[in-house]
Coordinates of all heavy atoms in Angstrom, one line a residue:
D1 N 140.0 176.2 9.6 CA 139.3 175.8 10.8 C 139.2 176.9 11.9 O 139.0 176.6 13.1 CB 140.0 174.5 11.4 CG 139.0 173.7 12.3 OD1 137.8 173.9 12.1 OD2 139.5 172.9 13.1
T2 N 139.3 178.1 11.5 CA 139.2 179.2 12.5 C 138.2 180.3 11.9 O 138.2 180.4 10.7 CB 140.5 179.9 12.8 OG1 141.1 180.4 11.6 CG2 141.5 178.8 13.4
P3 N 137.5 181.0 12.7 CA 136.6 182.0 12.2 C 137.2 183.0 11.3 O 136.6 183.4 10.3 CB 136.1 182.7 13.5 CG 136.3 181.7 14.6 CD 137.5 180.9 14.2
G4 N 138.5 183.4 11.5 CA 139.1 184.3 10.6 C 139.4 183.8 9.2 O 139.7 184.6 8.3
Q5 N 139.2 182.5 9.0 CA 139.5 181.9 7.7 C 138.2 181.5 6.9 O 138.3 180.8 5.9 CB 140.4 180.7 7.8 CG 141.8 181.0 8.3 CD 142.7 179.8 8.4 OE1 142.3 178.8 9.0 NE2 143.8 179.9 7.7
Y6 N 137.0 181.9 7.5 CA 135.8 181.4 6.8 C 135.6 182.0 5.4 O 135.0 181.4 4.6 CB 134.6 181.8 7.7 CG 134.4 181.0 8.9 CD1 134.0 181.5 10.1 CD2 134.8 179.6 8.9 CE1 133.8 180.7 11.2 CE2 134.7 178.8 10.0 CZ 134.2 179.4 11.2 OH 134.0 178.6 12.3
E7 N 136.1 183.2 5.2 CA 136.0 183.8 3.9 C 136.8 183.0 2.9 O 136.3 182.7 1.8 CB 136.4 185.3 3.9 CG 136.6 185.9 2.5 CD 135.3 186.0 1.7 OE1 134.2 185.8 2.3 OE2 135.4 186.4 0.5
M8 N 138.0 182.6 3.3 CA 138.8 181.8 2.4 C 138.2 180.4 2.2 O 138.3 179.9 1.1 CB 140.2 181.6 3.0 CG 141.2 180.8 2.1 SD 141.4 181.6 0.5 CE 142.2 183.1 1.0
A9 N 137.6 179.9 3.2 CA 136.9 178.6 3.1 C 135.8 178.7 2.0 O 135.6 177.8 1.2 CB 136.3 178.1 4.4
T10 N 135.0 179.8 2.1 CA 134.0 180.1 1.1 C 134.5 180.2 -0.3 O 133.9 179.6 -1.2 CB 133.2 181.3 1.5 OG1 132.8 181.3 2.9 CG2 131.9 181.5 0.6
V11 N 135.6 180.9 -0.4 CA 136.2 181.1 -1.8 C 136.7 179.8 -2.3 O 136.5 179.4 -3.5 CB 137.4 182.1 -1.7 CG1 138.2 182.1 -3.0 CG2 136.9 183.5 -1.3
T12 N 137.3 179.0 -1.4 CA 137.8 177.7 -1.9 C 136.6 176.8 -2.3 O 136.7 176.1 -3.4 CB 138.5 177.0 -0.7 OG1 139.6 177.7 -0.3 CG2 139.0 175.6 -1.1
F13 N 135.5 176.8 -1.5 CA 134.4 176.0 -1.9 C 133.8 176.4 -3.2 O 133.5 175.6 -4.1 CB 133.3 176.1 -0.8 CG 132.0 175.5 -1.2 CD1 131.8 174.2 -1.3 CD2 130.9 176.4 -1.5 CE1 130.5 173.6 -1.7 CE2 129.7 175.9 -1.8 CZ 129.5 174.5 -1.9
L14 N 133.6 177.7 -3.4 CA 133.0 178.3 -4.7 C 133.9 177.9 -5.9 O 133.4 177.6 -6.9 CB 132.8 179.8 -4.5 CG 131.7 180.2 -3.6 CD1 131.8 181.7 -3.4 CD2 130.4 179.8 -4.1
N15 N 135.2 178.0 -5.7 CA 136.1 177.7 -6.8 C 136.0 176.2 -7.2 O 136.1 175.9 -8.3 CB 137.6 178.0 -6.4 CG 137.9 179.5 -6.5 OD1 137.3 180.2 -7.3 ND2 138.8 179.9 -5.7
D16 N 135.9 175.3 -6.1 CA 135.7 173.9 -6.4 C 134.4 173.7 -7.2 O 134.3 172.9 -8.2 CB 135.6 173.1 -5.1 CG 137.0 173.0 -4.5 OD1 138.0 173.2 -5.2 OD2 137.1 172.7 -3.3
V17 N 133.3 174.4 -6.8 CA 132.0 174.3 -7.5 C 132.2 174.7 -8.9 O 131.7 174.1 -9.9 CB 130.9 175.1 -6.8 CG1 129.7 175.2 -7.6 CG2 130.6 174.4 -5.4
N18 N 132.8 175.9 -9.1 CA 133.0 176.5 -10.4 C 133.8 175.5 -11.3 O 133.5 175.4 -12.5 CB 133.7 177.8 -10.3 CG 133.6 178.6 -11.6 OD1 132.5 178.7 -12.2 ND2 134.6 179.2 -12.0
L19 N 134.8 174.9 -10.8 CA 135.6 173.9 -11.6 C 134.8 172.8 -12.1 O 134.9 172.4 -13.3 CB 136.8 173.4 -10.8 CG 138.0 174.4 -10.5 CD1 139.0 173.8 -9.6 CD2 138.6 174.6 -11.9
V20 N 133.9 172.3 -11.2 CA 133.1 171.1 -11.7 C 132.1 171.6 -12.7 O 131.9 170.9 -13.8 CB 132.3 170.6 -10.5 CG1 131.3 169.5 -10.9 CG2 133.3 169.9 -9.5
L21 N 131.5 172.7 -12.5 CA 130.5 173.2 -13.5 C 131.2 173.6 -14.8 O 130.6 173.3 -15.9 CB 129.8 174.5 -12.9 CG 129.0 174.3 -11.6 CD1 128.4 175.6 -11.2 CD2 127.9 173.2 -11.8
A22 N 132.3 174.2 -14.8 CA 133.0 174.6 -16.0 C 133.6 173.4 -16.7 O 133.7 173.4 -18.0 CB 134.2 175.5 -15.7
G23 N 133.9 172.3 -16.0 CA 134.5 171.1 -16.6 C 133.5 170.3 -17.3 O 133.8 169.3 -18.0
G24 N 132.2 170.5 -17.0 CA 131.2 169.8 -17.6 C 131.2 168.3 -17.2 O 130.8 167.4 -18.0
S25 N 131.6 168.0 -16.0 CA 131.6 166.6 -15.5 C 130.3 166.2 -15.1 O 130.0 165.9 -14.0 CB 132.6 166.5 -14.4 OG 132.2 167.3 -13.3
T26 N 129.3 166.2 -16.1 CA 128.0 165.8 -15.8 C 127.9 164.3 -15.6 O 128.6 163.5 -16.3 CB 127.0 166.2 -16.9 OG1 127.5 165.7 -18.1 CG2 127.0 167.7 -16.9
S27 N 127.0 163.8 -14.8 CA 126.8 162.4 -14.6 C 125.9 161.9 -15.7 O 125.2 162.6 -16.4 CB 126.1 162.1 -13.3 OG 124.8 162.6 -13.2
T28 N 125.8 160.6 -15.9 CA 125.0 160.0 -16.9 C 123.5 159.9 -16.5 O 122.7 159.7 -17.2 CB 125.4 158.5 -17.2 OG1 125.4 157.8 -16.0 CG2 126.9 158.5 -17.8
S29 N 123.3 160.2 -15.2 CA 122.0 160.2 -14.7 C 121.4 161.6 -14.8 O 122.0 162.6 -14.4 CB 121.9 159.8 -13.2 OG 120.7 160.0 -12.6
S30 N 120.2 161.7 -15.3 CA 119.6 163.0 -15.4 C 119.1 163.6 -14.1 O 118.7 164.7 -14.0 CB 118.4 163.0 -16.4 OG 117.4 162.1 -16.0
T31 N 119.0 162.7 -13.1 CA 118.5 163.1 -11.8 C 119.6 163.3 -10.8 O 119.3 163.8 -9.7 CB 117.5 162.0 -11.3 OG1 118.2 160.8 -11.1 CG2 116.3 161.8 -12.2
G32 N 120.8 163.1 -11.1 CA 121.9 163.3 -10.2 C 121.7 162.4 -9.0 O 121.6 161.2 -9.1
N33 N 121.7 163.0 -7.8 CA 121.5 162.3 -6.6 C 120.1 162.6 -6.0 O 119.9 163.4 -5.2 CB 122.6 162.6 -5.6 CG 122.4 161.9 -4.2 OD1 121.6 161.0 -4.1 ND2 123.1 162.4 -3.2
P34 N 119.1 161.8 -6.5 CA 117.7 162.2 -6.1 C 117.5 161.9 -4.6 O 116.5 162.4 -4.0 CB 116.9 161.2 -6.9 CG 117.8 160.1 -7.2 CD 119.2 160.7 -7.3
Y35 N 118.4 161.1 -3.9 CA 118.1 160.8 -2.5 C 118.8 161.8 -1.6 O 118.5 161.8 -0.4 CB 118.6 159.4 -2.2 CG 118.0 158.3 -3.1 CD1 118.8 157.6 -4.0 CD2 116.6 158.1 -3.0 CE1 118.2 156.6 -4.8 CE2 116.0 157.2 -3.8 CZ 116.8 156.4 -4.7 OH 116.2 155.5 -5.5
N36 N 119.7 162.6 -2.1 CA 120.5 163.5 -1.3 C 121.0 162.8 0.0 O 120.8 163.1 1.1 CB 119.6 164.7 -0.8 CG 119.3 165.6 -2.0 OD1 120.1 166.0 -2.7 ND2 118.0 165.8 -2.2
T37 N 121.7 161.6 -0.3 CA 122.2 160.8 0.8 C 123.1 161.5 1.7 O 124.1 162.1 1.3 CB 123.0 159.6 0.2 OG1 122.1 158.9 -0.7 CG2 123.4 158.6 1.2
P38 N 122.9 161.5 3.0 CA 123.8 162.1 4.0 C 125.2 161.5 3.8 O 125.3 160.3 3.6 CB 123.2 161.8 5.3 CG 121.7 161.5 5.0 CD 121.7 160.9 3.7
V39 N 126.2 162.3 4.0 CA 127.5 161.8 3.9 C 128.3 162.1 5.3 O 127.8 162.8 6.1 CB 128.3 162.6 2.8 CG1 127.7 162.2 1.5 CG2 128.3 164.1 3.0
S40 N 129.4 161.4 5.4 CA 130.2 161.5 6.6 C 131.4 162.2 6.4 O 131.6 162.9 5.4 CB 130.5 160.0 7.1 OG 131.5 159.5 6.3
D41 N 132.4 162.1 7.3 CA 133.7 162.8 7.2 C 134.7 162.0 6.4 O 135.9 162.2 6.4 CB 134.3 163.1 8.5 CG 134.5 161.8 9.4 OD1 134.2 160.7 8.8 OD2 135.0 161.9 10.5
G42 N 134.2 160.9 5.6 CA 135.1 160.1 4.8 C 135.7 159.0 5.6 O 136.5 158.2 5.0
S43 N 135.3 158.7 6.8 CA 135.8 157.6 7.6 C 135.4 156.3 6.9 O 134.3 156.2 6.4 CB 135.3 157.7 9.0 OG 135.7 156.5 9.7
R44 N 136.2 155.3 7.0 CA 135.9 154.0 6.4 C 134.9 153.2 7.4 O 134.5 152.1 7.0 CB 137.1 153.2 6.2 CG 138.0 153.8 5.1 CD 139.2 152.9 4.7 NE 140.0 153.5 3.6 CZ 141.1 154.2 3.8 NH1 141.6 154.5 5.0 NH2 141.7 154.7 2.7
L45 N 134.6 153.7 8.5 CA 133.7 153.1 9.4 C 132.7 154.2 9.9 O 133.1 155.2 10.5 CB 134.4 152.5 10.7 CG 133.4 152.0 11.8 CD1 132.5 150.9 11.2 CD2 134.2 151.5 12.9
V46 N 131.4 154.0 9.6 CA 130.4 154.9 10.0 C 129.3 154.1 10.7 O 128.4 153.5 10.0 CB 129.8 155.7 8.8 CG1 128.7 156.7 9.2 CG2 130.9 156.4 8.0
D47 N 129.3 154.1 12.0 CA 128.4 153.3 12.8 C 127.2 154.1 13.3 O 127.0 154.4 14.5 CB 129.1 152.7 14.0 CG 128.3 151.7 14.8 OD1 127.3 151.2 14.2 OD2 128.6 151.5 15.9
D48 N 126.4 154.6 12.4 CA 125.2 155.5 12.8 C 124.2 154.7 13.5 O 123.4 155.3 14.3 CB 124.6 156.1 11.5 CG 125.4 157.2 10.9 OD1 126.3 157.7 11.7 OD2 125.2 157.6 9.8

């Protein structure tokens, strides 16, 4: 959460992406998420 750690954040994100792609965890839907639904911070209450 600090500017000096952005490179590490990027590396972490890319590694997470690579793990999913390498693991072949494909969904049963050929279209994935066609709606690109906006997401929140994971809170159980989102009062948009």
Side-chain angles (χ1 to χ4, degrees):
D1 201 19
T2 60
Q5 292 183 306
Y6 285 146
E7 167 67 6
M8 183 58 67
T10 309
V11 170
T12 299
F13 168 73
L14 289 171
N15 282 333
D16 287 343
V17 169
N18 195 43
L19 283 173
V20 173
L21 299 180
S25 59
T26 55
S27 69
T28 57
S29 169
S30 61
T31 57
N33 178 11
Y35 302 118
N36 293 305
T37 303
V39 294
S40 71
D41 61 359
S43 171
R44 295 184 175 100
L45 172 60
V46 183
D47 185 24
D48 286 343

